[in-house]
Amino acid sequence: MTTTSQNYFSFGFWQCKHTWKTSSKNTAWCLLGCAIGDLGTLWAFQTFGWGWAPMQIMALAMVNGLITSILLETVILKLQGMTLGQSFKTAMGMSLISMIAMELAMNTVDFILSGGTAQIRLSYLPLILFFGFITPLPYNYWRLKALGIACH
């Protein structure tokens, strides 16, 4: 599975359907975990009207998204037969680069669409989730194909 660095830029490196499928599945699970914490935080601030600045809300939403993604992965791995300690260690070893990119993409799209108010609307969700998914996907593919390391 490991490839030399000179092949990363070749068209053929990016043509493995199996790797795209696996990295897409892993990215989708990550997106679910991140979206729960991120969008849940935005919803809570929007619903209860807590008086934070939009950038503070977005920062908290990103942190909560990272936490819920790690928690969801821990539960999934535990259900697949790992010990709780192994599950948590594996979840913590997920690519933070991928999760942070996902969170930044989701929050940037929401911030732009909401006019800087850090509020979510149902009509925004498809775009928020699309960009949250597509942004880290090439990195997750590369990491799996070149290094043999999945984010899950």
Side-chain angles (χ1 to χ4, degrees), residues 59-116:
L60 180 62
M62 289 178 66
V63 169
N64 288 342
L66 296 174
I67 291 169
T68 54
S69 183
I70 291 167
L71 288 174
L72 177 64
E73 185 61 27
T74 300
V75 169
I76 290 168
L77 293 171
K78 174 70 176 126
L79 292 174
Q80 291 177 350
M82 285 187 176
T83 66
L84 184 59
Q86 289 172 321
S87 299
F88 182 71
K89 184 179 178 182
T90 302
M92 288 299 295
M94 294 183 304
S95 173
L96 283 178
I97 293 171
S98 177
M99 289 191 293
I100 291 170
M102 179 179 287
E103 285 291 335
L104 279 171
M106 289 171 56
N107 282 285
T108 299
V109 170
D110 180 49
F111 192 77
I112 291 168
L113 292 176
S114 70

Side-chain angles (χ1 to χ4, degrees), residues 1-5 7-24 26 136-151:
M1 194 161 276
T2 303
T3 310
T4 61
S5 62
N7 293 332
Y8 298 158
F9 297 105
S10 72
F11 186 69
F13 177 83
W14 299 95
Q15 294 300 302
C16 181
K17 290 180 184 179
H18 174 71
T19 305
W20 278 115
K21 183 177 179 181
T22 302
S23 59
S24 293
N26 292 345
L137 183 59
Y139 174 75
N140 291 341
Y141 175 97
W142 171 82
R143 196 165 183 245
L144 181 59
K145 185 76 172 168
L147 306 177
I149 301 172
C151 59

